[in-house]
Amino acid sequence: MPILKGLGVADSKMSRAGTLPLRSSRNPFEEASGLEEEEAGERETLPNGTSCRRRATLEKLAGLAPFRLGRTPGRRAGSPGDGQPRSFLGRVLTPGIRRSSADFGLLARLQGARAHGDEEAAGEAARRLAFLRLGRGPKPRRASLAERVVPAGEAAPEPPPKVPEPPKMKEPLSVLEILSLIQQRELARADEHILELEAEELASSGGGAPGPPKAEGAGGGRRARDVALLYEALQREMWALVRETLAGPGPGAGAGPGAVAQLGQVLVQEEAADGRRGPEAARKLRARWAEAVARAARERLEAAAPGAPGGLAGQLEALRGRLLEDMGVVRGRLAPSYPAGLGTFGVYLRGYHGALAEWIGAASRRRLQLADRYALLHWHNQVYPREVLGLVDMVALENGELGPLLSPGTLRGLEDECVTDVKAQTRAALLRVLQEDEEHWGSAEDWSSSLAQDVCELLEEHTERAPRISQEFGERMAHCCLGGLAEFLQSFQQRVERFHENPGVRELLPDTYISRTISLVNCGPPLRALAERLARVGPPESEPAREAAASALDRVTRLCHRILTDLLFQELQPHFSKLMRRKWLSSSEALDGIVGTLGAKALALRRMQDEPYQELVAELHRRALVEYVRPLFRGRLRCGSARTRSRVAGRLREDAAQLQRLFRRLESQASWLDAVVPRLAEVLHLEDTPSIQMEVGMLVRDYPDIRRKHVAALLDIRGLHHTVARHEILAVARDLELSEGGTLSPPRDRAFFADIPVPRPPFCLSLPLFLGRLSLSRLACLPWPRPPSPSPSRPRAQH
């Protein structure tokens, strides 16, 4: 009492300025005016003579009665009490009473002034309490009950067993406290209290299913509104947590594994609560969580794509990197923090797949260049399934495989646009390349054609990229490119024909003309190989285009071979004119000139590629032997004696051996021509008829285009005229010619005797000799001329 009295003497100003530890005396929510009037009306004098106002101020300083929350004697009428709404501070600080959302705004308005006032009040209260403890002195130690009962020196009995206290009832949290838990991201606890508040609202509304706030009662409507507001705040924090966990490389403040685990626990609790709510009132937070994941994935992908260099291909590569990075975060850090039953990895994978489908669908609807279409199709069909989905755990998906990023119709439209663009671009590019190459054909400068290489590069750029997208698209692109190639080769054939038809080019540039012709021939093999490859890859409908391309190349090759062969044999013609004469039997000058000229020209022809070179050498081989044998069938030599026939046959064998060695050196593959001259020599050399018949039969078998006129010319050369042996030999040729095999014409490259004309021998008949050899019986069979019959229209003359 002295201490209190001493404090009371000097406490007049303190009583007027005394503050609460948490509130100022002028706070409007303390109802300060009512308190001052009440305190003024309740002043009394204590037994020690001090004022009651001083004791009330001391109680405030000691923290014994900070607020007047209950009904006390002497409370004025109309003050808050039982059955009346409490003030804001009464509702917030009264234990056992749940506060509602009506306090949210007031708390927010007081937040600024509250922090400063709390610090000052707490400091002042601490100083006053310390001063009071100094005045009272230390607390004396009292003896325990065991020390008072048990004498000294004896063992104390064991304490009685503790009786477990009954569990204390958990005090319900206010709406503000639940909101504070949400803001601190203690989501699981906050959700538990929200479910309790929802249950209270359900009980107060009569047991119906929870739903939107009702307007029937102020309390029930406010509680339903509180539940709705708390669920909105809870979901905002949950979806913000979903975004933060993907954006950060590691667990950060408020977004660590614990927060993620609480988010998963909330989903489990709400899914269980949805089973109690029913399908109509279910909140379906798990589905909304999947939507939030999809939104976060869309934001992540949209942020990664715009800054990537390299056009659409670079953006797709950036999307691939971002997707793999985020799925790695989900696999390593997020999925283990969620409950196992949520299928976290599958939810995130579907969210990213859907966001990527939206991005690629929007890109496909833009007007893209051909390269961007190729990049989009290749990424959709190959990169994403192989390098993205192939690296993630597809088993984690609960509902089967993911759908396609683009619909089949969209993919078909992109492919059609690619085919159309390729057809237009390649047609223009091929014609431009052909025109540039044609400008150099008639020039005298040293120039090497790259036409075939340029054409192959233009087409292979598309024929190699399309199959890597899909097999069907590769077939369509091959068919498109083959059609363009066939059209180009037909134009190429026409320009080559015009070039060779120009006589001025051949006369002014003889050496360059041969070089240009070889260059044109060399275009054939690579273009033919390209056409064959495209036909194999393309659909069956590509066969007509392949035949058209091959036909155009065959015409170009045959034309160029004929031009080169004609030029060569124009130089060889003087040497061939010296064959099969008397001088030829004793001199090899003519054949040496033929062999030397062919060997020299073969060096220039060897610049030709292998396939057309083999065809050209085979044609030269055939043409050389045709020109060699042609003078023989013209009848320049007559071998009436056996000695002459032997000399001619020997010379034929020597020349055939020399020509055979030449064309073997030139790598000719026409070995079927090696036997033609030796067989002709045998027909001239043999003397007995059966051997000649056998040799003629072998000649007809190996060279089906030989005719009886050729055999008759050989028999005329050896002087076999009008004998039985001649008829027997010709009968063999006639029988073989009329047989099934002899009626078939050989192909052009296997024809030999068809190019050798035989002059028709003059027909001379000796009538007396012929009549003398006929018998009278045969003469009787000959038809004799009859006298003309009289005309019926004219009567016979009367004599």
Side-chain angles (χ1 to χ4, degrees):
M1 286 301 290
I3 296 176
L4 298 177
K5 185 176 180 181
L7 290 173
V9 172
D11 227 14
S12 59
K13 294 183 179 180
M14 185 182 302
S15 62
R16 290 192 301 272
T19 59
L20 297 175
L22 298 179
R23 293 292 183 270
S24 172
S25 60
R26 297 186 180 274
N27 193 311
F29 298 99
E30 285 281 78
E31 301 179 358
S33 59
L35 290 176
E36 291 175 359
E37 294 176 0
E38 185 178 351
E39 289 173 0
E42 291 180 353
R43 289 182 182 177
E44 296 178 1
T45 303
L46 297 177
N48 57 1
T50 60
S51 173
C52 180
R53 178 180 178 86
R54 292 182 180 178
R55 186 177 63 178
T57 304
L58 184 62
E59 289 175 352
K60 293 181 181 180
L61 290 175
L64 299 178
F67 301 104
R68 302 168 186 256
L69 300 177
R71 180 180 301 273
T72 57
R75 182 182 300 272
R76 78 180 189 277
S79 63
D82 295 337
Q84 296 182 1
R86 298 177 178 270
S87 67
F88 169 72
L89 293 178
R91 290 196 308 270
V92 171
L93 299 177
T94 302
I97 303 299
R98 190 187 298 276
R99 272 77 69 189
S100 66
S101 61
D103 308 326
F104 289 7
L106 295 178
L107 183 64
R109 288 193 296 270
L110 294 175
Q111 198 70 23
R114 177 181 179 180
H116 181 69
D118 288 350
E119 292 178 0
E120 294 182 354
E124 186 176 356
R127 288 192 300 271
R128 293 176 178 178
L129 290 177
F131 178 74
L132 292 176
R133 284 197 295 270
L134 289 175
R136 290 198 304 265
K139 184 178 180 179
R141 179 180 178 276
R142 293 184 300 174
S144 65
L145 180 62
E147 292 176 350
R148 291 196 301 267
V149 176
V150 180
E154 295 183 5
E158 295 182 359
K162 295 182 179 180
V163 179
E165 297 179 359
K168 297 180 179 180
M169 297 300 295
K170 184 172 61 174
E171 183 180 0
L173 298 183
S174 65
V175 174
L176 292 179
E177 290 169 334
I178 298 174
L179 179 63
S180 177
L181 291 178
I182 294 174
Q183 294 173 349
Q184 296 172 9
R185 290 195 171 171
E186 296 184 15
L187 304 179
R189 285 187 57 199
D191 184 64
E192 292 176 358
H193 290 284
I194 295 174
L195 292 175
E196 293 177 359
L197 182 60
E198 184 182 31
E200 294 177 6
E201 190 273 336
L202 180 63
S204 64
S205 61
K214 299 177 182 179
E216 295 173 356
R222 175 177 295 178
R223 190 177 292 112
R225 186 168 57 251
D226 291 345
V227 172
L229 293 173
L230 289 174
Y231 266 116
E232 291 179 4
L234 177 66
Q235 292 182 58
R236 279 196 300 270
E237 290 297 324
M238 291 172 65
W239 312 152
L241 182 61
V242 169
R243 290 192 302 272
E244 294 172 10
T245 52
L246 287 175
V260 176
Q262 291 202 35
L263 190 151
Q265 185 63 30
V266 169
L267 296 177
V268 174
Q269 293 172 179
E270 288 296 328
E271 191 171 14
D274 284 345
R276 298 189 298 269
R277 295 183 182 116
E280 296 182 358
R283 299 191 181 272
K284 301 178 181 179
L285 286 192
R286 185 169 178 178
R288 297 183 182 181
W289 168 59
E291 296 173 358
V293 169
R295 287 194 301 271
R298 188 182 307 112
E299 294 174 0
R300 294 281 293 168
L301 296 181
E302 290 176 355
L312 184 59
Q315 294 178 3
L316 292 172
E317 183 63 22
L319 291 179
R320 184 189 69 85
R322 176 60 59 85
L323 199 151
L324 291 178
E325 175 187 356
D326 289 357
M327 295 312 298
V329 171
V330 172
R331 181 193 298 275
R333 182 164 56 87
L334 298 184
S337 301
Y338 280 94
L342 294 178
T344 305
F345 190 83
V347 171
Y348 275 85
L349 182 58
R350 291 185 184 278
Y352 273 90
H353 182 82
L356 188 61
E358 293 180 6
W359 194 94
I360 292 184
S364 66
R365 289 187 291 272
R366 298 197 299 264
R367 186 175 184 83
L368 301 175
Q369 300 294 329
L370 180 60
D372 291 339
R373 289 197 195 96
Y374 272 132
L376 183 59
L377 288 172
H378 181 259
W379 199 91
H380 176 274
N381 289 14
Q382 298 297 326
V383 176
Y384 183 66
R386 183 180 64 249
E387 300 184 13
V388 178
L389 297 183
L391 300 179
V392 300
D393 187 11
M394 297 298 294
V395 182
L397 296 176
E398 297 179 353
N399 300 326
E401 298 182 357
L402 297 172
L405 293 175
L406 295 176
S407 64
T410 304
L411 289 176
R412 184 73 177 188
L414 290 174
E415 293 177 359
D416 292 341
E417 293 175 359
C418 284
V419 170
T420 303
D421 289 352
V422 167
K423 184 181 296 184
Q425 293 183 13
T426 53
R427 179 182 301 171
L430 291 176
L431 291 179
R432 183 177 63 253
V433 169
L434 179 58
Q435 184 175 358
E436 293 175 356
D437 195 82
E438 186 183 12
E439 294 175 355
H440 297 278
W441 292 356
S443 62
E445 61 183 2
D446 188 11
W447 171 79
S448 177
S449 176
S450 61
L451 178 63
Q453 181 180 357
D454 295 340
V455 171
C456 292
E457 289 178 356
L458 283 173
L459 296 180
E460 287 176 352
E461 178 185 0
H462 307 289
T463 58
E464 291 179 358
R465 295 184 67 176
R468 292 198 293 263
I469 295 175
S470 67
Q471 181 180 358
E472 181 184 1
F473 185 49
E475 294 178 357
R476 296 182 60 196
M477 188 60 67
H479 179 65
C480 169
C481 292
L482 183 56
L485 178 62
E487 183 179 352
F488 163 78
L489 291 178
Q490 291 174 359
S491 178
F492 174 66
Q493 173 202 340
Q494 296 172 1
R495 301 193 183 207
V496 170
E497 291 174 352
R498 287 199 302 265
F499 172 72
H500 287 299
E501 290 173 358
N502 187 3
V505 176
R506 187 182 305 183
E507 295 175 359
L508 296 176
L509 307 168
D511 296 335
T512 306
Y513 179 72
I514 295 176
S515 177
R516 295 292 184 267
T517 304
I518 294 175
S519 298
L520 294 176
V521 172
N522 286 337
C523 294
L527 296 178
R528 190 186 302 272
L530 177 61
E532 295 291 338
R533 185 166 62 254
L534 294 179
R536 287 195 301 269
V537 176
E541 295 80 10
S542 302
E543 187 61 22
R546 185 200 66 81
E547 294 178 355
S551 176
L553 289 174
D554 290 341
R555 291 191 183 97
V556 171
T557 303
R558 285 197 300 267
L559 175 61
C560 294
H561 283 175
R562 182 173 59 81
I563 295 295
L564 294 174
T565 305
D566 292 343
L567 291 175
L568 179 58
F569 278 90
Q570 284 179 5
E571 297 184 21
L572 294 175
Q573 191 59 39
H575 301 288
F576 282 112
S577 63
K578 298 176 182 180
L579 297 176
M580 307 304 167
R581 299 183 184 274
R582 292 294 178 181
K583 187 179 180 180
W584 167 73
L585 288 174
S586 58
S587 175
S588 62
E589 177 185 356
L591 189 64
D592 292 342
I594 294 172
V595 173
T597 304
L598 284 173
K601 295 298 182 180
L603 296 177
L605 299 177
R606 199 64 188 87
R607 292 180 300 170
M608 198 176 294
Q609 293 194 13
D610 290 339
E611 183 180 353
Y613 175 76
Q614 293 296 335
E615 296 178 5
L616 179 58
V617 169
E619 177 62 21
L620 291 177
H621 194 174
R622 189 193 71 85
R623 181 80 174 270
L625 292 180
V626 167
E627 295 297 330
Y628 178 83
V629 174
R630 190 190 301 272
L632 180 64
F633 284 92
R634 286 178 180 175
R636 291 181 180 179
L637 289 176
R638 294 297 175 179
C639 306
S641 63
R643 181 174 177 273
T644 305
R645 289 195 296 270
S646 179
R647 289 182 62 190
V648 172
R651 189 65 188 172
L652 290 174
R653 293 190 189 98
E654 292 177 4
D655 291 351
Q658 190 173 357
L659 290 173
Q660 184 176 355
R661 288 192 298 270
L662 169 66
F663 285 105
R664 283 182 179 175
R665 190 169 66 251
L666 297 180
E667 301 177 0
S668 173
Q669 303 295 328
S671 58
W672 61 279
L673 294 170
D674 294 339
V676 60
V677 176
R679 292 197 184 281
L680 295 177
E682 289 297 323
V683 172
L684 296 177
H685 178 65
L686 295 174
E687 295 295 335
D688 56 317
T689 302
S691 298
I692 297 175
Q693 287 178 330
M694 184 177 297
E695 198 66 34
V696 169
M698 296 177 66
L699 192 63
V700 174
R701 182 197 63 187
D702 294 339
Y703 304 97
D705 58 338
I706 193 171
R707 295 296 179 259
R708 280 178 298 173
K709 60 183 180 180
H710 297 101
V711 179
L714 289 175
L715 296 180
D716 292 339
I717 292 171
R718 61 173 294 140
L720 191 61
H721 302 287
H722 307 295
T723 61
V724 178
R726 179 185 179 91
H727 292 296
E728 291 176 354
I729 295 171
L730 291 176
V732 173
R734 182 182 66 250
D735 294 341
L736 292 174
E737 183 180 345
L738 296 177
S739 64
E740 182 179 358
T743 57
L744 298 176
S745 299
R748 175 63 187 167
D749 56 347
R750 298 299 294 261
F752 186 82
F753 289 97
D755 292 341
I756 302 175
V758 178
R760 177 173 294 183
F763 180 77
C764 180
L765 179 61
S766 178
L767 187 59
L769 179 61
F770 175 74
L771 293 177
R773 292 180 179 178
L774 292 177
S775 61
L776 294 177
S777 59
R778 293 183 178 180
L779 288 175
C781 296
L782 292 175
W784 292 93
R786 296 179 181 180
S789 59
S791 176
S793 60
R794 298 179 63 183
R796 184 175 298 180
Q798 299 292 330
H799 298 286

